[in-house]
């Protein structure tokens, strides 16, 4: 049940990010010290975030626990990629804050999956 809740929570986060990137990309990214640059591409990323949020919510609604496992690895990869962009100087520290959200969400799901696994 807790793994399901973690997936639902991350879906809500993705919906929020997606809507924010579509509707007000400069404001949302500005909060993290990031630039929207050519905001058409940022809005496309917002659409992708909405689609991913839909997948996460659908997986939680149907109990597709295999996706829960996949999402942990994917979110850790995303966080590592964001941190690498910061370390190489391509993005400001704000991206690390977003990476920390992915790490925390992945850890929540992973921990819940471990607790819910049959003995």
């Amino acid at each position: 049940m807790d793994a399901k809740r973690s997936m639902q929570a991350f879906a809500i986060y993705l919906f929020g990010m997606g809507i924010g990137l579509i509707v007000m990309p400069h404001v949302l990214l500005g909060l993290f010290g990031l630039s929207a640059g050519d905001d058409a591409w940022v809005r496309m990323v917002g659409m992708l975030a909405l689609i991913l949020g839909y997948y996460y919510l659908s997986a939680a609604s149907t109990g597709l626990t295999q996706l829960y496992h996949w999402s942990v690895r994917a979110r850790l990869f995303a966080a590592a990629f964001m941190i690498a962009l910061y370390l190489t100087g391509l993005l400001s520290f704000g991206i690390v804050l977003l990476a920390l959200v992915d790490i925390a969400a992945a850890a929540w799901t992973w921990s819940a999956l471990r607790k819910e696994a049959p003995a």
Side-chain angles (χ1 to χ4, degrees), residues 10 72 75-80 82-83 96-110:
F10 199 70
V72 170
R75 287 181 271 172
L76 292 176
F77 172 77
M82 288 184 264
I83 291 168
V96 174
L97 300 175
L98 296 175
L100 292 175
V101 171
D102 277 24
I103 291 168
W108 179 15
T109 303
W110 177 77

Side-chain angles (χ1 to χ4, degrees), residues 60-115:
S61 297
T62 60
L64 185 58
T65 57
Q66 189 61 42
L67 184 71
Y68 301 5
H69 292 276
W70 299 338
S71 76
V72 170
R73 292 186 291 272
R75 287 181 271 172
L76 292 176
F77 172 77
F81 187 79
M82 288 184 264
I83 291 168
L85 290 174
Y86 167 70
L87 292 175
T88 59
L90 293 173
L91 288 176
S92 67
F93 182 77
I95 199 69
V96 174
L97 300 175
L98 296 175
L100 292 175
V101 171
D102 277 24
I103 291 168
W108 179 15
T109 303
W110 177 77
S111 174
L113 286 169
R114 287 181 45 105
K115 289 177 187 170

Side-chain angles (χ1 to χ4, degrees), residues 29-74:
L29 292 178
L31 293 172
F32 298 98
L34 302 169
S35 169
D38 178 7
D39 68 8
W41 284 107
V42 174
R43 292 171 199 268
M44 292 293 293
V45 171
M47 178 207 50
L48 292 172
L50 286 174
I51 291 169
L52 285 173
Y54 169 75
Y55 287 156
Y56 277 56
L57 195 58
S58 296
S61 297
T62 60
L64 185 58
T65 57
Q66 189 61 42
L67 184 71
Y68 301 5
H69 292 276
W70 299 338
S71 76
V72 170
R73 292 186 291 272

Side-chain angles (χ1 to χ4, degrees), residues 19-30 34-36 39 42-43:
I19 291 168
L21 290 173
I22 290 170
V23 176
M24 51 184 183
H26 296 280
V27 173
L28 182 62
L29 292 178
L34 302 169
S35 169
D39 68 8
V42 174
R43 292 171 199 268

